[in-house]
Amino acid sequence: MKQDLVYLKRNVVPEPLFANWYAWSHLISPATAAMNITDRHLKIMGSYIQAPQIHAAAVKNPKMLGGPFMDFEGQSKVDEVKKLKEDTLNDQHKMIVFSEAIRTLNRLLMSEAKGYSLDDLYEKVPEALKGFVELYYDVNNQPGFRFFESLLYNSEYYDDSYQSINLYLITEDERPFVLSTPRLDDDKILSLNIPLRHEGIDELFKMQRTPNSYTRIKEMLQVTPEQEHLFETFFTEDAPVPYGKYEGDGIRSRYFGHACILVETKDVSILSDPVISYGYDAEISRYTYTDLPDEIDYVVITHNHQDHILFETMLQLRHKVKNIIVPKNGGGNLQDPNLKLMFEVLGFKNIIEIGEMDKIELPDCTITGLPFLGEHADLDIRTKLCHHVQLKHLSVLFAADSSNIEPKIYENVHKMVGDVDLLFLGMECDGAPLTWLYGPLMTEQLDRDKDQSRRLAGSNYEKGIDLVDRFNPKEVYVYAMGQEPWLNYIMSVKYTEESNPIVASNKLINECKSRGIFAERLFGEKDTLYNNNLEVVETN
Ligand SMILES: [Fe+2]
């Protein structure tokens, strides 16, 4: 570098990896990671090695989008995948044993826990699981077990030496779907063998705003001389456009795409479900990392799906986020990892767990957790919350992907929070079947028709309009539709005008408009300024 004091470019991706696979939340929590290694990664690798041409054809078919097929953009990578499979079988041996132990314990409970005391069964718990599980019956005398997840994070089953970061420059929206394709060596990618909690990541991303020493960051990240020619290209001497902090007396709401919305007053900033685009020339205009404040007071997370918790985004924000509000965990079920523990092991600070109707009270602002229904294929997953945010006089309901299955629940909620001014609602009403996300965790095979009936689906028109009737919003925004092209790598939706989510949300928007309610399906970007009388004073 000519100059030592440099900025980080705004299109540097820190791709988080776990043993060469894109690190989403189920690869961080030890038990779900073990199950995904055996039942997702090893299976996809085996299938690719046997018939790479089927994978190459499937990824070209839009109907197969998001399916268990590797996308190497037309190249054959059989030898590399064979090697990765071998490495996985060796390096992840203890995780494979651990996942087999989970299945064995489940079979043991099904065959031997018949209503008598479970004390004697502890002896038969597979060795790999001993000391990490509690056995129980529910009140219907059905047996089950739960993990002591905090103990697992302190065991050999959480080994962050398998984590790494791929740094590279991104220049377009197109990226392969990350859940099905492992990351192989590529000369445009700089691989850093550092865990996701590494402080160098924070120092690196601070440099998007504040210039710092190139030599210092190179040393912090342990960049080798061979990597340096690539590493250099991530930096620039040009300062970014400074951030325009909101200094008015009202409220500014800024949509970044999907379920990511920043609401700000001059005193407080709240960012929901951060998933943010990089800065590069693109047809569809969008807000990017440079449109965020230098400090974010609260990040609020609604639920544990990869389009709502994206570590790739969270890592870039870690140095500027003061508090993270996560939904309270159910307490050790395999399918329901604890988000507080997860964020903590990844180096995030001040994680606040809140439950349903719990409140966080700040000056001029109250955040309340609300019940989140459905969208989790009827699995017992508690780590999900909608949010009610009362910001000055503005009352906002962020309903995320909640599916209003039982309107009486929101009738009860309405009695406590009252009408709202703004309703944000996800209407991905088709959703994927259970196995798409949770398949690797199922210890018993689910019949296809049952799998198809249990979906990760949000509200349809009827469920959505019931929320409108109930909460009487002045403005309705359909969001979290996965339509922004920069989300393709974590989503698998491509809609047409005939797709159910589009038909249903059009109908809801038209109905709202006919009632004189402002309504819109968000796409790309939107900024709205409200004054203290809740009048929209500016929008773009
Ligand atoms: Fe979701």
Side-chain angles (χ1 to χ4, degrees), residues 303 305 307-308 375 401:
H303 65 299
H305 286 158
D307 51 324
H308 295 262
E375 218 246 342
D401 297 331

Side-chain angles (χ1 to χ4, degrees), residues 148-423:
F148 295 100
E149 221 185 327
S150 41
L151 301 185
L152 284 177
Y153 275 115
N154 282 290
S155 75
E156 58 177 340
Y157 302 122
Y158 182 73
D159 184 345
D160 67 9
S161 69
Y162 291 116
Q163 295 173 2
S164 63
I165 297 275
N166 268 356
L167 290 180
Y168 65 95
L169 288 167
I170 188 170
T171 52
E172 56 172 11
D173 293 333
E174 203 54 41
R175 284 170 77 174
F177 182 66
V178 289
L179 260 50
S180 305
T181 306
R183 270 306 197 180
L184 303 172
D185 288 345
D186 182 320
D187 54 15
K188 293 191 190 66
I189 291 174
L190 193 151
S191 297
L192 296 173
N193 280 325
I194 54 170
L196 306 191
R197 64 176 160 73
H198 197 282
E199 284 173 6
I201 301 167
D202 303 305
E203 293 306 311
L204 179 67
F205 284 93
K206 277 182 200 168
M207 290 172 72
Q208 262 185 356
R209 284 279 155 85
T210 314
N212 209 330
S213 157
Y214 171 79
T215 316
R216 177 176 169 269
I217 193 68
K218 182 182 76 180
E219 282 164 9
M220 256 193 117
L221 293 171
Q222 300 148 32
V223 173
T224 64
E226 298 75 52
Q227 291 175 317
E228 223 187 307
H229 68 284
L230 184 56
F231 190 63
E232 272 186 8
T233 65
F234 301 157
F235 299 90
T236 173
E237 286 159 26
D238 301 333
V241 181
Y243 174 71
K245 185 176 174 350
Y246 178 65
E247 302 280 9
D249 281 331
I251 294 152
R252 181 167 70 183
S253 153
R254 175 170 281 183
Y255 173 70
F256 282 77
H258 204 50
C260 183
I261 292 169
L262 174 72
V263 284
E264 279 174 291
T265 66
K266 64 177 184 315
D267 302 314
V268 69
S269 53
I270 300 170
L271 183 69
S272 70
D273 291 351
V275 173
I276 293 169
S277 173
Y278 295 90
Y280 41 78
D281 288 335
E283 219 175 284
I284 298 160
S285 172
R286 77 236 10 214
Y287 290 114
T288 67
Y289 288 92
T290 38
D291 301 302
L292 285 169
D294 291 337
E295 283 191 325
I296 299 164
D297 294 308
Y298 289 86
V299 160
V300 290
I301 301 283
T302 57
H303 65 299
N304 186 8
H305 286 158
Q306 78 280 5
D307 51 324
H308 295 262
I309 298 179
L310 188 66
F311 292 126
E312 184 177 316
T313 291
M314 289 302 292
L315 289 176
Q316 296 177 68
L317 304 185
R318 188 168 60 193
H319 67 274
K320 61 164 71 186
V321 173
K322 290 202 212 156
N323 303 279
I324 303 178
I325 300 177
V326 298
K328 195 187 264 178
N329 179 247
N333 279 332
L334 172 63
Q335 72 277 12
D336 192 17
N338 183 315
L339 290 180
K340 183 172 193 283
L341 286 175
M342 192 180 303
F343 276 114
E344 281 171 354
V345 298
L346 294 181
F348 291 86
K349 304 259 160 49
N350 302 324
I351 319 298
I352 306 163
E353 252 194 353
I354 64 169
E356 286 135 5
M357 308 319 297
D358 282 350
K359 279 187 165 78
I360 294 195
E361 312 227 22
L362 312 162
D364 271 347
C365 174
T366 304
I367 303 169
T368 310
L370 303 183
F372 181 131
L373 309 181
E375 218 246 342
H376 289 71
D378 299 322
L379 288 165
D380 182 9
I381 291 171
R382 311 288 174 88
T383 312
K384 55 192 196 330
L385 269 190
C386 301
H387 297 100
H388 178 258
V389 178
Q390 182 73 48
L391 204 57
K392 294 187 159 189
H393 305 299
L394 188 75
S395 163
V396 189
L397 171 50
F398 292 107
D401 297 331
S402 184
S403 171
N404 182 15
I405 305 163
E406 172 49 276
K408 283 197 174 299
I409 296 171
Y410 285 118
E411 185 183 319
N412 288 330
V413 170
H414 180 260
K415 282 179 198 158
M416 296 178 74
V417 301
D419 286 350
V420 301
D421 301 303
L422 272 53
L423 167 65

Side-chain angles (χ1 to χ4, degrees), residues 374-380 432-435 438 451 454-457:
E375 218 246 342
H376 289 71
D378 299 322
L379 288 165
D380 182 9
L434 177 149
T435 47
Y438 299 106
D451 183 35
R454 291 169 60 180
R455 308 190 76 87
L456 282 76

Side-chain angles (χ1 to χ4, degrees), residues 37-249:
I37 289 168
T38 52
D39 256 60
R40 189 186 300 273
H41 302 169
L42 284 170
K43 275 189 180 167
I44 300 181
M45 287 192 278
S47 144
Y48 180 80
I49 292 164
Q50 271 197 339
Q53 69 285 1
I54 292 182
H55 285 244
V59 294
K60 285 194 199 138
N61 181 351
K63 282 192 185 138
M64 303 282 204
L65 214 64
F69 303 105
M70 293 195 189
D71 185 358
F72 293 118
E73 292 162 329
Q75 299 173 49
S76 171
K77 299 276 181 183
V78 176
D79 291 339
E80 289 94 327
V81 174
K82 271 188 187 161
K83 163 97 173 53
L84 180 61
K85 189 181 167 204
E86 253 164 54
D87 290 349
T88 307
L89 290 169
N90 292 325
D91 301 346
Q92 301 296 332
H93 179 70
K94 64 188 175 213
M95 297 297 265
I96 295 167
V97 171
F98 182 51
S99 89
E100 280 160 7
I102 293 171
R103 284 167 205 287
T104 305
L105 175 60
N106 202 56
R107 280 196 297 273
L108 180 80
L109 288 168
M110 291 302 142
S111 64
E112 296 198 26
K114 297 292 183 193
Y116 294 100
S117 166
L118 294 169
D119 290 4
D120 292 342
L121 270 193
Y122 278 87
E123 249 175 54
K124 295 186 182 174
V125 169
E127 216 44 52
L129 281 177
K130 276 204 170 96
F132 296 112
V133 291
E134 180 174 35
L135 313 181
Y136 63 78
Y137 289 114
D138 67 15
V139 289
N140 296 314
N141 303 318
Q142 299 298 309
F145 69 93
R146 70 178 190 100
F147 292 102
F148 295 100
E149 221 185 327
S150 41
L151 301 185
L152 284 177
Y153 275 115
N154 282 290
S155 75
E156 58 177 340
Y157 302 122
Y158 182 73
D159 184 345
D160 67 9
S161 69
Y162 291 116
Q163 295 173 2
S164 63
I165 297 275
N166 268 356
L167 290 180
Y168 65 95
L169 288 167
I170 188 170
T171 52
E172 56 172 11
D173 293 333
E174 203 54 41
R175 284 170 77 174
F177 182 66
V178 289
L179 260 50
S180 305
T181 306
R183 270 306 197 180
L184 303 172
D185 288 345
D186 182 320
D187 54 15
K188 293 191 190 66
I189 291 174
L190 193 151
S191 297
L192 296 173
N193 280 325
I194 54 170
L196 306 191
R197 64 176 160 73
H198 197 282
E199 284 173 6
I201 301 167
D202 303 305
E203 293 306 311
L204 179 67
F205 284 93
K206 277 182 200 168
M207 290 172 72
Q208 262 185 356
R209 284 279 155 85
T210 314
N212 209 330
S213 157
Y214 171 79
T215 316
R216 177 176 169 269
I217 193 68
K218 182 182 76 180
E219 282 164 9
M220 256 193 117
L221 293 171
Q222 300 148 32
V223 173
T224 64
E226 298 75 52
Q227 291 175 317
E228 223 187 307
H229 68 284
L230 184 56
F231 190 63
E232 272 186 8
T233 65
F234 301 157
F235 299 90
T236 173
E237 286 159 26
D238 301 333
V241 181
Y243 174 71
K245 185 176 174 350
Y246 178 65
E247 302 280 9
D249 281 331

